[in-house]
Amino acid sequence: MRQMNAPVDLPDRLIPTRPNDAACDIAIIGSGFSGLAMGIRLKQAGVDDFLIFEKAGSVGGTWRDNHYPGCACDVQSHLYSFSFAPNPSWSRMFSPQPEIRRYLEHSAETFGLSSHLRFGHELKQAVWDASAGVWRLEMADGRRVRARILVSGMGGLSRPAIPDIPGLDTFAGTTFHSQQWRHDYPLAGKRVAVIGTGASAIQFVPQIAPQVDRLDLYQRTPPWVMPKPDRDVSALERWMFRQFPFTQWLVRAGLYWMLEMRVMGFVMHPKLMKAVEQMARRHLAREVRDPELRAKLTPDYTIGCKRVLMSNDYYGALTRANVDVVTTGIDHVEPDALVMRDGSRRPADCIILGTGFRATDPLPRGVIIGRDGRDVLDAWRDGAEAYLGTTVSGFPNLFLIMGPNTGLGHSSMVFMIESQVRYVLDALQQMRQERVQAVDVRPSIQDGFNRGIQQKLNHTIWSAGGCASWYMDPRSGKNTTLWPGFTWQFWRATQTFRMADYERWPMREQGVAPLPEQAETARA
Ligand code: NAP
């Protein structure tokens, strides 16, 4: 494989639609880690009849869209990468965003996905057509595609959460979300208000603090921050990984098992987290000498309840003379200032929203319509759920990569993605062998699975840690985002597609068999 860090020149970024685009067997939506993994594994399995629809003009998903200063991964790159595409050239233990984006572009090219990628195709709606046993897709520009299998690689953290702060839309200065960073807006000399102190803000605040005139950091809840064990990967290590690939595999395996240990604290024995909390307290005490600021930055919930953050420069940035951590609470925004609950006004030229994503609400209404014309959001009225995070009853042949309860608070999402991709491949293989047109998970199987998940989640740090987090669905109070266990348990659970868990309809030689709705309509 060519050096992963070499810039990639994808041959054709806007491939025109070909006449045969109107139909494909498998439609994949999105070209981030999920969509690319699905495409690459299909290709490797000898399946060619698939297209990857991508709304943007290049691959990369979240690693294309998030490009704020300091954006980097908080999981070690030797693990946060495809198992089938090791990159011996990672420059750091935790690689910066441009390098991860290049890695994904390079993977798409190396594994021959270019001819399957359709850029500029934003999915507007996918409707299950029971009479034909296919999904009918309509893109934002009106193009239509028919596909038997629909794989969503749309990701869970792609819709920015814009806070509902009165007057925010009346602000006369510049406002942008961390995911839509305005590199054309010079921050030098400006009074900047940053709202939010999550994983994104702690990465960009240290980068911009030295440039700006003033930085007010509006903190609602302080995060727990651990030191980041980041460093350059030495030239010798990179040479070793290239010459002896098993050494990189050993590093990956070591990282995997080290991170898996965290499950003991998150899921099995939340009290163990107290020891981790001590390490975070020491980090804070070392970095912040001012007791008043330190008190502001000390969380009052158990570590792990919200995502544990890692940074070596966040606390340092907050001790700068031009930075204020504001905890009074924002009452409203006026054209030139943020007004606090105590009535004080804090003038600003620019507001940067580090307010995260709509994780429990990842899709707009009207995008995925299943059997009986039911919107997936209606199926998820009491919180999103799926079977093995992948299939949803009432939505035949729909496979969600990174679906409900597949998120992690402790390890690499790429591992979960690859587990799901293998499950989908097994499903497709069995469907082909048994000549099955469509499968739909049985409601009882999905219910039983989710009851088990929710029971486990009740005893985890995420439920018992005393915090409010985006892991929890605000309507139902259920944790609909995280997998409550070891990742190898998920890997094991998704190893084999059990056809018995699914209702299924046979393929016919001539066209396709009518599915129940149509059969019922025909009988009526
Ligand atoms: P986030 O972790 O959800 O943080 C959002 C922040 O905005 C929180 O501090 C939140 O406060 C605050 N906030 C939200 N609404 C607010 C309001 N109305 N007023 C005041 N504050 C408000 O979002 P994020 O930092 O963008 O990260 C989201 C996720 O993306 C991460 O958890 C992670 O999974 C992923 N991510 C990963 C990496 C990586 O390195 N792999 C990097 C960045 C992001 P509260 O805490 O009080 O709600």
Side-chain angles (χ1 to χ4, degrees):
M1 212 170 153
R2 215 179 67 196
Q3 291 253 319
M4 287 290 180
N5 286 340
V8 172
D9 193 15
L10 284 179
D12 193 351
R13 296 212 161 214
L14 266 174
I15 298 166
T17 310
R18 297 178 316 195
N20 63 353
D21 274 358
C24 61
D25 193 40
I26 304 163
I28 302 169
I29 312 296
S31 67
F33 265 104
S34 302
L36 294 183
M38 190 73 243
I40 292 169
R41 284 310 206 189
L42 282 170
K43 199 99 183 145
Q44 289 177 331
V47 178
D48 228 33
D49 191 3
F50 69 91
L51 292 173
I52 305 176
F53 297 104
E54 168 56 58
K55 65 175 187 295
S58 60
V59 305
T62 196
W63 294 105
R64 175 200 60 226
D65 291 343
N66 284 278
H67 40 73
Y68 55 77
C71 184
C73 191
D74 59 8
V75 177
Q76 288 87 341
S77 294
H78 292 293
L79 183 61
Y80 192 85
S81 43
F82 295 128
S83 62
F84 48 81
N87 173 15
S89 308
W90 290 121
S91 68
R92 295 187 67 77
M93 292 303 282
F94 297 83
S95 297
Q97 171 265 340
E99 209 172 319
I100 302 172
R101 183 178 176 186
R102 279 200 301 274
Y103 169 79
L104 290 173
E105 290 179 337
H106 184 70
S107 298
E109 186 199 52
T110 309
F111 290 97
L113 292 189
S114 302
S115 60
H116 297 266
L117 280 158
R118 296 292 177 274
F119 296 115
H121 282 63
E122 180 176 3
L123 178 68
K124 182 173 155 206
Q125 188 171 64
V127 180
W128 175 249
D129 177 345
S131 59
V134 294
W135 283 93
R136 294 199 182 277
L137 277 53
E138 189 184 343
M139 303 296 157
D141 63 2
R143 276 183 274 202
R144 288 168 192 275
V145 180
R146 171 165 54 92
R148 190 172 63 97
I149 306 289
L150 179 60
V151 179
S152 163
M154 290 191 269
L157 298 175
S158 55
R159 297 180 78 199
I162 306 300
D164 189 15
I165 302 172
L168 185 59
D169 54 345
T170 67
F171 184 65
T174 299
T175 308
F176 55 88
H177 187 274
S178 59
Q179 198 203 39
Q180 291 141 0
W181 197 271
R182 288 275 309 272
H183 294 279
D184 60 334
Y185 178 78
L187 289 166
K190 299 285 184 351
R191 294 164 304 174
V192 176
V194 173
I195 304 180
T197 53
S200 304
I202 73 148
Q203 292 184 335
F204 68 74
V205 162
Q207 301 293 316
I208 64 171
Q211 303 167 27
V212 302
D213 173 38
R214 285 218 53 78
L215 193 154
D216 285 342
L217 178 62
Y218 293 90
Q219 173 189 276
R220 191 164 65 178
T221 316
W224 283 107
V225 182
M226 297 282 285
K228 191 172 188 179
D230 197 10
R231 62 171 176 82
D232 284 338
V233 179
S234 69
L236 178 65
E237 286 170 300
R238 279 183 270 160
W239 173 84
M240 188 176 69
F241 295 150
R242 269 193 295 273
Q243 297 301 314
F244 310 106
F246 75 94
T247 56
Q248 192 180 9
W249 183 87
L250 283 177
V251 170
R252 183 179 170 98
L255 288 167
Y256 175 79
W257 289 109
M258 184 185 79
L259 298 187
E260 281 296 86
M261 299 290 283
R262 296 182 182 173
V263 175
M264 309 284 272
F266 284 134
V267 176
M268 298 164 83
H269 307 290
K271 286 195 180 121
L272 285 178
M273 296 307 283
K274 287 289 166 197
V276 184
E277 214 168 277
Q278 285 313 316
M279 289 162 68
R281 276 183 204 282
R282 278 200 294 275
H283 181 48
L284 174 60
R286 258 196 317 270
E287 299 283 316
V288 179
R289 297 279 169 205
D290 171 8
E292 201 183 321
L293 178 59
R294 203 188 303 160
K296 273 187 190 173
L297 297 173
T298 306
D300 62 358
Y301 55 88
T302 312
I303 193 168
C305 183
K306 283 171 175 282
R307 190 177 173 92
V308 181
L309 308 185
M310 284 191 290
S311 174
N312 299 329
D313 52 9
Y314 175 63
Y315 285 144
L318 306 190
T319 62
R320 293 177 60 92
N322 66 336
V323 176
D324 264 340
V325 178
V326 186
T327 56
T328 339
I330 306 165
D331 183 73
H332 66 278
V333 175
E334 292 182 355
D336 62 343
L338 289 82
V339 182
M340 302 298 101
R341 292 216 186 97
D342 63 6
S344 56
R345 291 180 91 256
R346 303 190 70 99
D349 304 307
C350 168
I351 299 178
I352 305 177
L353 303 171
T355 43
F357 300 91
R358 297 167 66 170
T360 54
D361 185 19
L363 279 174
R365 178 163 286 281
V367 176
I368 306 273
I369 311 288
R371 285 168 71 176
D372 304 320
R374 192 171 192 214
D375 194 304
V376 74
L377 294 194
D378 290 325
W380 288 349
R381 229 188 316 241
D382 296 327
E385 65 167 51
Y387 177 49
L388 294 167
T390 313
T391 49
V392 184
S393 186
F395 297 81
N397 288 4
L398 169 67
F399 296 91
L400 306 173
I401 310 294
M402 284 177 68
N405 291 106
T406 58
L408 298 177
H410 74 283
S411 187
S412 167
M413 274 314 294
V414 184
F415 183 89
M416 301 296 273
I417 289 169
E418 286 195 40
S419 302
Q420 289 187 281
V421 163
R422 199 189 35 178
Y423 182 77
V424 179
L425 282 180
D426 197 33
L428 297 180
Q429 193 174 8
Q430 289 191 41
M431 286 169 79
R432 196 177 55 212
Q433 280 164 358
E434 299 183 25
R435 298 203 51 76
V436 166
Q437 170 82 16
V439 290
D440 189 7
V441 64
R442 297 178 191 280
S444 58
I445 295 287
Q446 185 177 314
D447 287 352
F449 173 78
N450 281 284
R451 265 199 307 278
I453 290 262
Q454 291 303 326
Q455 258 166 23
K456 273 193 181 173
L457 280 162
N458 280 339
H459 306 289
T460 60
I461 195 79
W462 307 302
S463 303
C467 74
S469 77
W470 58 257
Y471 295 152
M472 316 302 279
D473 182 85
R475 294 152 297 188
S476 61
K478 288 193 291 194
N479 184 331
T480 58
T481 52
L482 293 184
W483 170 249
F486 293 103
T487 60
W488 57 262
Q489 291 172 311
F490 186 75
W491 176 86
R492 205 174 52 187
T494 50
Q495 205 167 22
T496 311
F497 179 84
R498 283 169 29 113
M499 195 56 104
D501 292 341
Y502 289 80
E503 285 180 71
R504 50 196 182 273
W505 297 279
M507 192 103 71
R508 279 198 322 201
E509 290 306 330
Q510 303 288 317
V512 293
L515 299 184
E517 293 91 323
Q518 196 202 14
E520 276 152 28
T521 318
R523 273 199 298 274

